[in-house]
Amino acid sequence: MLDERVRVQRGSDRHRGGEPGEGIDSRYAFSFGGHYDPENVRFGSLVACNEERLAPGSGFAEHPHRDVELISWVLAGELTHRDAAGRTVTLRPGDLQHQSAGAGIRHTERNAGAAPLRFLQLWLEPATAGGEPRYTVVRSVADGEPYEVPAAGARLWVRRPAAGERVGLPPAPRVYLHVAAGAVRLGETVLAEGDAARITDPGRAPQPVAVAGAAGTELLIWEFDG
């Protein structure tokens, strides 16, 4: 059994939103938009983990953001990003997009391809508001190399373990584990694609260990400084 430090959220339990009639199927892990649950508003600096499913030709019209760190991770298909700075970027599985909204940005996100698109968008709250917007794309993120989001006191590890391989989780105050593909086991609990675990560790040992249950497993592991 998992101890009280671990809270599992099944992908099937996410709140459904979006605009299905427009080809947008959204699945929220936290309170978001018109969906509000006062007991589920954040974990560490993470305030949103949305799985977006866009039919070909559909997407989000130009809209603003400010004072948020936006991480996009494509699960299947291609995501086309356009912004008010004149950038047009296509993201594919394995690419990481990071937008620091700072004092304000405007952008669009669309499925301009012929195949269905699935991607995660994660919102992190920075410690300090305002500042200059910044934009970064990392192509083909390597296994086991952390991506730092210092403004939000966070770092992301992408792990692609072989079947049966053990993956140690960071000894951080808070760890968020999302199964992007495949399956893992925490104790006797199996997490499948789309499932997540929120792990709060106030310094007690042992730290939970994830064991990959299938080939092709991909894990997104966030660690938060507080």
Side-chain angles (χ1 to χ4, degrees):
M1 294 180 60
L2 295 175
D3 65 31
E4 68 276 8
R5 294 177 293 171
V6 182
R7 174 184 171 190
V8 170
Q9 182 184 49
R10 301 295 181 185
S12 58
D13 292 335
R14 286 171 170 243
H15 181 78
R16 299 288 290 272
E19 299 179 37
E22 302 297 324
I24 302 173
D25 178 4
S26 301
R27 306 179 183 202
Y28 307 139
F30 296 88
S31 297
F32 193 85
H35 166 61
Y36 177 67
D37 176 354
E39 296 184 355
N40 186 29
V41 296
R42 66 186 302 140
F43 184 74
S45 57
L46 184 65
V47 295
C49 177
N50 301 343
E51 182 180 326
E52 305 290 357
R53 303 184 180 203
L54 303 184
S58 68
F60 301 101
E62 184 174 291
H63 57 280
H65 293 282
R66 65 175 299 153
D67 299 328
V68 66
E69 305 292 311
L70 299 166
I71 302 290
S72 298
W73 184 263
V74 176
L75 301 168
E78 296 183 348
L79 170 64
T80 298
H81 160 95
R82 294 187 176 91
D83 61 34
R87 279 181 287 261
T88 298
V89 178
T90 299
L91 302 165
R92 300 177 178 86
D95 297 339
L96 181 147
Q97 176 181 261
H98 177 192
Q99 302 169 83
S100 292
I105 62 170
R106 299 187 67 88
H107 73 155
T108 67
E109 297 154 304
R110 301 195 64 81
N111 180 2
L117 164 66
R118 289 194 305 122
F119 73 101
L120 294 175
Q121 189 165 95
L122 303 108
W123 295 21
L124 296 95
E125 185 177 279
T128 303
E132 289 294 320
R134 296 184 304 279
Y135 182 85
T136 304
V137 170
V138 180
R139 299 292 187 184
S140 301
V141 175
D143 181 278
E145 294 184 7
Y147 181 80
E148 301 279 349
V149 187
R155 61 203 53 83
L156 172 65
W157 301 81
V158 179
R159 296 301 313 272
R160 302 180 182 94
E165 183 179 345
R166 295 166 62 87
V167 178
L169 302 180
R174 290 182 176 84
V175 173
Y176 186 86
L177 167 65
H178 180 91
V179 182
V184 297
R185 179 168 50 83
L186 282 176
E188 299 303 316
T189 300
V190 175
L191 304 180
E193 180 175 309
D195 294 345
R198 308 176 193 189
I199 303 161
T200 302
D201 184 4
R204 290 182 299 151
Q207 186 75 1
V209 172
V211 180
T217 292
E218 181 177 78
L219 309 176
L220 304 183
I221 303 172
W222 284 98
E223 61 171 300
F224 304 103
D225 294 339

